[in-house]
Amino acid sequence: MKRFDAILDIMKYVDDEIIVCNIGFPSRELFEIKDRSKNFYMLGSMGLASSIGLGLAIANDNSNTNEKGTNADGFKKNKEKIIVFDGDGSVLMNMGSLVTIYNQNPKNLILVVFDNGCYGSTGNQCTYAQNIDLLEVAKSIGFKNCHDYNDIDFEDILLDECEDPVFIHYKILPGNADSPIIDFSPEEIKNRFMDSLNTNNH
Amino acid sequence: MDSSEAVYQGLKSAGINFIVSVPCVNLGKILEIIDEDEDIIHVPVTREEEGLGICAGAYFGGKKTAILMQNSGLGNCVNALGSLYQLYSLPIVMIMSHRGTEGEPIVGQVPMGKATPKVLDAMELEYFNPKNPTDAKGIISKSWDLSVDKGSPISILLDINYW
């Protein structure tokens, strides 16, 4: 299975969750499969998908809800789940992020690493993930919820009230779909995304 | 006014409620103060660029964000400042301990010390260089609103002599 079909599979289950999607073909493929306002498409800053997801998860989780059911920053409900679509190359570029996520321990963050052993968006050059097991790396850091995608039902993961973040290793084959360039400007992506989160600071 | 207290009061006055940090000896006292403040979320990070990613997400989630770091970290942040912050017009307050300036005892700090204002100039990022606590508090107090208005990061450089 290549990344396009892997994203297609996951998006069957995604409903209200917030998605932060890695730069390049992953974002283009997600855009083609299921464009939605709760998708944040990265257009630069390779490596930072997991960090952006962590910031969102902490902001969403740490605020108290008021009588209207919204928290101080405008989220409709507390602990709306954040899903990050990351890649092996970008995880390797920002490995410290795994350590910070583990230590901050947001219970509303699901990190999905599509691992094709390649830098897919730059012409499928090999990554060192071909020689190491990123799932074992996550386990060795201490993540309690580490899964091989093939061993789980993703819908169950979304429904679970976890006490800790979830790390999912999704081993796939190299290859990009012929997905279109995202035809939103960066500002449009940001504003639509923030409007969908009901954040009120822009 | 105490130099660290001035920075903290400026951040509070600006409404900053989410801070990521990579320490510098000069920032130590501020980090202790913000750790005591229950209204500020403080996330220590492994690398400054990672901190910018976390702050971008926190901003999307409604937080008013700042990064506390040594100016050497600016070098680790350049791509994220361009291809994340400038690309999407995101605000952040960057409080930088500016090492490598007059009185610097460590030779390794000097090259990035000299390059820091030039890097910010090259990226067309606005910065301030307050020389005393009163000025620092005043500038930092306005920094978040200024950053939002400009849709761009605002840096505060604090020289060795500031402390």
Side-chain angles (χ1 to χ4, degrees), chain A residues 4 59-61 80 103 139 172 198:
Chain A
F4 187 89
N60 196 2
D61 196 36
E80 203 166 22
N103 280 279
K139 286 178 185 170
I172 56 171
N198 291 309

Side-chain angles (χ1 to χ4, degrees), chain A residues 41 45 73 100 187 190 199, chain B residues 50 60-63 83 88-89:
Chain A
Y41 302 114
S45 61
D73 300 317
T100 306
E187 291 258 357
K190 176 188 74 173
T199 46
Chain B
E50 178 203 6
F60 295 149
K63 297 298 182 190
S83 72
Y88 291 96
S89 301

Side-chain angles (χ1 to χ4, degrees), chain A residues 92-140:
Chain A
L92 292 170
M93 189 175 274
N94 185 19
M95 288 276 270
S97 176
L98 297 181
V99 177
T100 306
I101 291 169
Y102 168 73
N103 280 279
Q104 290 295 316
N105 206 44
K107 59 184 116 177
N108 52 345
L109 182 66
I110 299 171
L111 179 59
V112 181
V113 179
F114 297 109
D115 181 356
N116 59 11
C118 290
Y119 295 103
S121 295
T122 56
N124 290 327
Q125 298 87 353
C126 296
T127 73
Y128 286 133
Q130 293 199 349
N131 305 325
I132 60 159
D133 186 336
L134 288 173
L135 187 59
E136 292 300 322
V137 171
K139 286 178 185 170
S140 74

